[in-house]
């Protein structure tokens, strides 16, 4: 039985971790297609140029892109269309706009492939540890879906309708961004009011009560001396908030305030910093 050939397109914080899990599994031949990298960061994964895609003939194609335009550009490539027509399983990890993901499902299904809408959450750490959570709608049943997803996804949630994983992920991200944006309204006052007792408050916030899950994962990144390690780029959160706005059933004042705060953070710090920059002081 021949190896399953897996093509991953897009090299970023998430796919660096995912590639390592795919390449470490016997029975897989893994290739990377990236516009920005001539060499793979993972041993045993070879880079493939656009010209080389036509000879690869992947069984599974995994896409993770910076935006809708880049996703559409890749899935419209002629060699990718040929692989889809041959029955490839196509897994789109990107958090796309709703119109784009519905277009993508139709493209893959009508071309003869299996479309797997699969936005994920867990950031860099989840990708590196292989413990991402995935919101999934697959157009059909295929053993290759589980074969690949189980290598980097710990928890999978299946939705019945196309587009529903994306609808959920966009509002989920917007809700999380709202909670994150409130940290800077309350953490500095706590530091000022408690002084030397602030470490006690920090322990409580990060370990006890209903807010602990949110605060434990992000509180340390806004404190003095925190490393600038990138978990999720600010520009990606800005993109997701824009997509969320497009599907919000009704206007929401709080959502508008949060979008404005993330926009201001991007103007101050640029889009390539971590999205916790929404809480950073100006001097950082």
């Amino acid at each position: 039985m021949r190896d399953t050939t897996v093509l991953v397109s897009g090299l970023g914080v998430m796919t660096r971790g995912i590639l390592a899990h795919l390449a470490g599994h016997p029975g897989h031949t893994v290739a990377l297609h990236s516009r920005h990298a001539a060499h793979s960061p993972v041993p045993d994964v070879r880079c493939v140029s656009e010209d080389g895609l036509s000879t690869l003939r992947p069984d599974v194609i995994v896409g993770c892109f910076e935006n809708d335009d880049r996703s559409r550009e890749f899935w419209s490539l002629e060699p990718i269309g040929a692989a889809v027509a041959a029955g490839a399983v196509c897994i789109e990890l990107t958090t796309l706009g709703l119109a784009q993901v519905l277009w993508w499902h139709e493209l893959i299904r009508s071309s003869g492939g299996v479309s797997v809408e699969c936005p994920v959450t867990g950031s860099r750490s989840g990708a590196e540890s292989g413990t991402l959570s995935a919101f999934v709608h697959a157009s059909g049943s295929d053993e290759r879906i589980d074969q690949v997803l189980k290598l980097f996804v710990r928890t999978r949630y299946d939705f019945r309708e196309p587009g529903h994983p994306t609808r959920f992920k966009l509002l989920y991200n917007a809700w999380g961004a709202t909670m994150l944006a409130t940290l800077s309204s309350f953490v500095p006052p706590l530091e000022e009011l408690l002084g030397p007792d602030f470490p006690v408050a920090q322990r409580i916030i990060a370990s006890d009560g209903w807010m602990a899950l949110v605060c434990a994962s992000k509180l340390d990144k806004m404190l003095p001396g925190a490393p600038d390690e990138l978990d999720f780029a600010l520009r990606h959160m800005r993109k997701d908030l824009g997509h969320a706005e497009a599907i919000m059933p009704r206007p929401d004042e709080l959502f508008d305030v949060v979008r404005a705060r993330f926009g201001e953070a991007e103007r101050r710090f640029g889009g390539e910093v971590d999205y916790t920059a929404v809480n950073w002081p100006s001097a950082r």
Side-chain angles (χ1 to χ4, degrees), residues 123-145:
S123 299
R124 175 187 52 81
S125 59
E128 290 177 352
S129 61
T131 58
L132 294 170
S133 294
F135 314 124
V136 178
H137 172 79
S139 64
S141 178
D142 193 297
E143 64 180 9
R144 294 171 294 178
I145 301 173

Side-chain angles (χ1 to χ4, degrees), residues 28 50-51 54 56 75 80 100 122 129 135 137 142 243 249 262:
H28 282 165
E50 191 168 316
D51 291 337
S54 58
L56 187 64
W75 293 109
I80 298 305
Q100 168 66 15
S129 61
F135 314 124
H137 172 79
D142 193 297
H243 289 322
F262 275 90

Side-chain angles (χ1 to χ4, degrees), residues 24-54:
H25 187 269
H28 282 165
T29 298
V30 184
L32 169 67
H33 172 62
S34 171
R35 296 181 302 169
H36 308 297
H39 304 284
S40 168
V42 177
D44 300 323
V45 174
R46 65 186 180 99
C47 270
V48 181
S49 67
E50 191 168 316
D51 291 337
L53 289 175
S54 58

Side-chain angles (χ1 to χ4, degrees), residues 1-205:
M1 184 176 178
R2 75 177 185 87
D3 284 0
T4 298
T5 299
V6 182
L7 170 65
V8 177
S9 184
L11 180 61
V13 168
M14 300 288 280
T15 46
R16 287 176 187 273
I18 290 170
L19 278 169
H21 292 287
L22 291 174
H25 187 269
H28 282 165
T29 298
V30 184
L32 169 67
H33 172 62
S34 171
R35 296 181 302 169
H36 308 297
H39 304 284
S40 168
V42 177
D44 300 323
V45 174
R46 65 186 180 99
C47 270
V48 181
S49 67
E50 191 168 316
D51 291 337
L53 289 175
S54 58
T55 60
L56 187 64
R57 302 194 181 273
D59 302 292
V60 179
I61 307 171
V62 179
C64 190
F65 305 104
E66 58 192 87
N67 54 40
D68 286 23
D69 290 342
R70 177 62 187 134
S71 173
R72 184 178 289 257
E73 178 185 326
F74 172 78
W75 293 109
S76 298
L77 290 173
E78 186 175 339
I80 298 305
V84 175
V89 165
C90 304
I91 302 174
E92 177 59 278
L93 302 180
T94 317
T95 302
L96 299 167
L98 181 59
Q100 168 66 15
V101 82
L102 295 177
W103 170 87
W104 177 79
H105 271 299
E106 179 58 30
L107 173 71
I108 301 304
R109 286 197 302 263
S110 64
S111 300
V114 179
S115 61
V116 184
E117 177 187 354
C118 188
V120 294
T121 190
S123 299
R124 175 187 52 81
S125 59
E128 290 177 352
S129 61
T131 58
L132 294 170
S133 294
F135 314 124
V136 178
H137 172 79
S139 64
S141 178
D142 193 297
E143 64 180 9
R144 294 171 294 178
I145 301 173
D146 290 329
Q147 179 186 344
V148 169
L149 289 185
K150 71 180 182 181
L151 298 179
F152 57 88
V153 169
R154 179 177 59 188
T155 309
R156 171 177 163 178
Y157 301 93
D158 287 285
F159 289 75
R160 295 182 180 183
E161 297 295 328
H164 280 191
T166 294
R167 287 182 172 96
F168 172 77
K169 176 68 187 306
L170 289 174
L171 293 193
Y172 177 79
N173 270 12
W175 193 356
T178 301
M179 290 190 284
L180 177 65
T182 66
L183 292 183
S184 62
S185 297
F186 296 96
V187 173
L190 278 174
E191 286 187 281
E192 184 177 341
L193 290 169
L194 297 179
D197 274 334
F198 176 69
V200 179
Q202 187 180 345
R203 259 196 341 268
I204 296 168
I205 293 167

Side-chain angles (χ1 to χ4, degrees), residues 235-246:
R235 65 185 174 90
H236 293 321
M237 179 54 80
R238 284 265 290 150
K239 167 186 70 72
D240 290 354
L241 290 173
H243 289 322
E245 182 184 38

